[in-house]
Amino acid sequence: MPDTRQTLLLDAPLTPQQVWDIAQNTVKLDLSSAARLRIRHANTSLRQLIEGDTPIYGLNTGVGGLSEQRISAAQQAELSKKILFSHAVGVGRPLDAAQTRAIMACAINSYALGYTGVREDIPDRLLALLNSNSLPIIPSEGSVGYLVHMAHIALALIGHGTLQTPTGLEPAALVLQKLGFAPLQPEAKEGLALVNGLACATGLGCLSAHSLSTTLHWADRIAAATFDIMGGQSRAFDPRSAALRTMPGGQHVSARLRALTQGSAHLAARQGGRTQDALSLRAVPHIHGSVHDALEGIERTLAQELNSLSDNPAIINIDNQPQAFSQAHAVGASLARIMDEAALAAASLGAVAERRLDRMVNPLVSPFPAFLPSDSGTGSGFMIAQYTACALVGQNRRLAAPASLDGGITSGLQEDILVHATPAALKAQSVVDNTRTILAIELLALCQAIDLAGLYPDLAPKTQELYTQVRAQVSYYQEDHPLADDIATITHWLGTTQP
């Protein structure tokens, strides 16, 4: 079949959205002539530094706790190759294809900035593997921030191990041969440049942020529908009151909830019936709004990271004199913190969604039949589904503990503070996934309540639209099959459909 994907020419640094597109395999990636020129210039500078006697980290010295040990010119290529094997210590389940592609795209993006000193051969091999969807197998665990995941990618470039290709598992060396490349022979510093940096945390972070954004917009829609069927007091979204809180996210959510519930006869008939609703209903603008505000900062930091070098050392030409700066650019403190914030933000969405769910099923406060059964005599309805939501809220609470504060000491006290950016990004994705499931349960419950109470004709058009979309996926729950099947269906739908 012909390849119909458009080619994204990498000249300026990638955006988080472009990383997402590449991860979904909807576009191909290539380097612009300007990016190639930057790479070549940095490599020329590196070669000039190789000829000098100044100690340069990872070039003519060991790495980490061996940074004061000098390496002869004859040993530099050997050091590069050994770095790949010694750093490939990942364990656990492999990352999925989208995660792997995102990391590879961010690595290419980093080399294209023109400060690592690697030859064009390295990004060219990565591009060939990425565009042919021939993906290294990357264990998910074992990183305290960087190094480990990229080492497993680098092994593929030297022809070691196997790749997951569109036709199955194939030896890396054979795949490279098919793509027109011999296995890479890493030169001085290239082994370090291949494993160093924040490509892994940045790529995973872009995916987590995109997933959070989609989940947040679904949460707004679902919360509005729950508010509608529960007959909430719409003064909670009054623009005159909302304007008293200056946070833009809260004002945005208030406006969106007004639009989503507009035209509801059910709400209109219940205005003034209560002084105020429970917080899980009237505080949606405040809680969801805080996530909108947090997401804006998360996306801004990711964009900054994609514009920044995270290799060590950096190769810079100053007044026609190449210099190496061995700094802490691979310490992703900002990245780790925003990924912790992403986990907290997603967890807060799940927590309030579970509380809204409880108000629909709990006979102490619900206007509907207890637990929404199809048969109140024999059915438990959504009683135990709320247990599942409660369990996921608890798991999210545990996962929301900050990875960026884990610390740790490695490499013989040379690396004596660690920020765990990659684990932060991985757990943020787990929290988002859990929250999407909680929202799926809430959505199924509110549709069940609509059917039980015959509310459909009186609801807002947007609530009716959402109900119709769900019922196209799953029918009214008669308790004639495991409810887990419906939860899985709607969870997948929320993750693959734009709100």
Side-chain angles (χ1 to χ4, degrees):
M1 294 178 60
D3 190 344
T4 60
R5 294 173 297 170
Q6 291 186 333
T7 297
L8 172 62
L9 199 61
L10 177 53
D11 189 3
L14 295 172
T15 66
Q17 179 61 51
Q18 288 171 332
V19 174
W20 169 266
D21 292 337
I22 296 166
Q24 306 312 305
N25 201 23
T26 57
V27 297
K28 294 187 293 185
L29 186 63
D30 201 359
L31 294 172
S32 70
S33 57
R36 291 185 178 279
L37 187 60
R38 291 194 294 269
I39 293 169
R40 288 197 293 270
H41 283 169
N43 181 248
T44 298
S45 295
L46 176 65
R47 291 181 180 278
Q48 293 175 22
L49 289 169
I50 291 172
E51 297 172 359
D53 294 326
T54 304
I56 299 174
Y57 177 76
L59 177 61
N60 53 24
T61 77
V63 297
L66 301 174
S67 59
E68 299 303 319
Q69 182 170 325
R70 292 296 296 267
I71 301 297
S72 70
Q75 293 175 305
Q76 289 171 5
E78 182 183 3
L79 170 65
S80 280
K81 188 170 184 178
K82 286 187 174 181
I83 283 174
L84 305 187
F85 288 111
S86 65
H87 286 54
V89 293
V91 296
R93 64 165 182 81
L95 298 178
D96 65 30
Q99 292 171 319
T100 302
R101 293 176 61 83
I103 295 169
M104 294 171 71
C106 288
I108 296 165
N109 178 79
S110 180
Y111 300 139
L113 295 174
Y115 301 109
T116 65
V118 300
R119 293 167 292 162
E120 280 182 86
D121 287 356
I122 287 178
D124 278 342
R125 282 170 170 78
L126 284 170
L127 285 165
L129 294 178
L130 183 66
N131 291 331
S132 66
N133 207 26
S134 302
L135 304 179
I137 298 170
I138 311 173
S140 57
E141 306 296 335
S143 173
V144 293
Y146 56 104
L147 300 175
V148 172
H149 296 80
M150 279 302 302
H152 286 273
I153 293 176
L155 290 180
L157 303 187
I158 66 172
H160 184 85
T162 57
L163 297 174
Q164 182 67 57
T165 74
T167 58
L169 291 174
E170 295 188 56
L174 178 60
V175 174
L176 288 172
Q177 182 182 12
K178 290 179 180 179
L179 295 172
F181 295 95
L184 179 74
Q185 300 297 322
E187 297 182 356
K189 189 188 178 289
E190 289 183 338
L192 184 58
L194 278 165
V195 303
N196 218 345
L198 295 167
C200 182
T202 305
L204 296 174
C206 290
L207 299 191
S208 295
H210 191 283
S211 296
L212 175 59
S213 177
T214 302
T215 300
L216 172 58
H217 285 86
W218 273 120
D220 290 346
R221 282 200 69 184
I222 293 166
T226 298
F227 190 91
D228 192 358
I229 72 163
M230 294 293 288
Q233 302 301 298
S234 295
R235 284 177 66 85
F237 315 140
D238 189 301
R240 295 164 297 184
S241 174
L244 301 176
R245 299 286 293 174
T246 60
M247 295 75 170
Q251 295 189 11
H252 167 78
V253 175
S254 287
R256 191 162 190 227
L257 292 177
R258 289 195 300 271
L260 289 168
T261 57
Q262 185 175 9
S264 172
H266 184 64
L267 280 184
R270 282 156 180 77
Q271 296 315 293
R274 289 185 299 277
T275 303
Q276 62 180 16
D277 296 306
L279 278 171
S280 59
L281 295 173
R282 61 187 164 97
V284 170
H286 307 77
I287 297 173
H288 287 213
S290 73
V291 179
H292 279 275
D293 290 336
L295 183 60
E296 184 177 335
I298 290 166
E299 291 173 338
R300 182 171 57 250
T301 300
L302 284 167
Q304 291 169 346
E305 190 59 59
L306 287 164
N307 279 267
S308 301
L309 180 75
S310 58
D311 193 15
N312 175 33
I315 307 301
I316 307 175
N317 194 299
I318 302 175
D319 297 329
N320 293 322
Q321 292 295 320
Q323 297 190 34
F325 285 80
S326 182
Q327 306 303 326
H329 293 332
V331 176
S334 296
L335 194 51
R337 182 189 54 77
I338 63 160
M339 286 296 99
D340 279 342
E341 186 171 8
L344 282 166
S348 68
L349 288 178
V352 70
E354 185 276 327
R355 290 293 78 209
R356 293 192 301 261
L357 167 66
D358 184 67
R359 300 200 77 80
M360 284 188 281
V361 304
N362 190 331
L364 298 177
V365 291
S366 175
F368 308 114
F371 306 113
L372 308 178
S374 58
D375 176 358
S376 59
T378 61
S380 296
F382 282 71
M383 179 194 295
I384 310 304
Q386 188 262 334
Y387 283 39
T388 298
C390 190
L392 293 176
V393 168
Q395 187 179 65
N396 280 353
R397 188 179 300 113
R398 295 187 292 273
L399 287 170
S404 57
L405 294 180
D406 281 352
I409 300 171
T410 60
S411 200
L413 286 177
Q414 182 70 8
E415 297 180 358
D416 56 355
I417 182 66
L418 304 167
V419 298
H420 300 264
T422 296
L426 284 168
K427 72 183 185 67
Q429 185 65 63
S430 296
V431 176
V432 173
D433 292 343
N434 285 344
T435 295
R436 188 183 300 118
T437 301
I438 297 168
L439 289 166
I441 298 172
E442 180 187 3
L443 182 52
L444 285 166
L446 75 87
C447 289
Q448 186 85 350
I450 290 171
D451 287 330
L452 287 171
L455 290 176
Y456 182 87
D458 296 328
L459 297 175
K462 287 295 184 181
T463 305
Q464 294 174 339
E465 177 186 274
L466 181 58
Y467 168 89
T468 301
Q469 289 175 308
V470 172
R471 284 291 175 252
Q473 307 294 318
V474 298
S475 60
Y476 171 69
Y477 185 55
Q478 297 279 4
E479 302 178 77
D480 55 355
H481 64 277
L483 185 52
D485 296 347
D486 293 354
I487 294 171
T489 296
I490 297 303
T491 299
H492 176 75
W493 180 68
L494 292 178
T496 55
T497 308
Q498 288 300 311

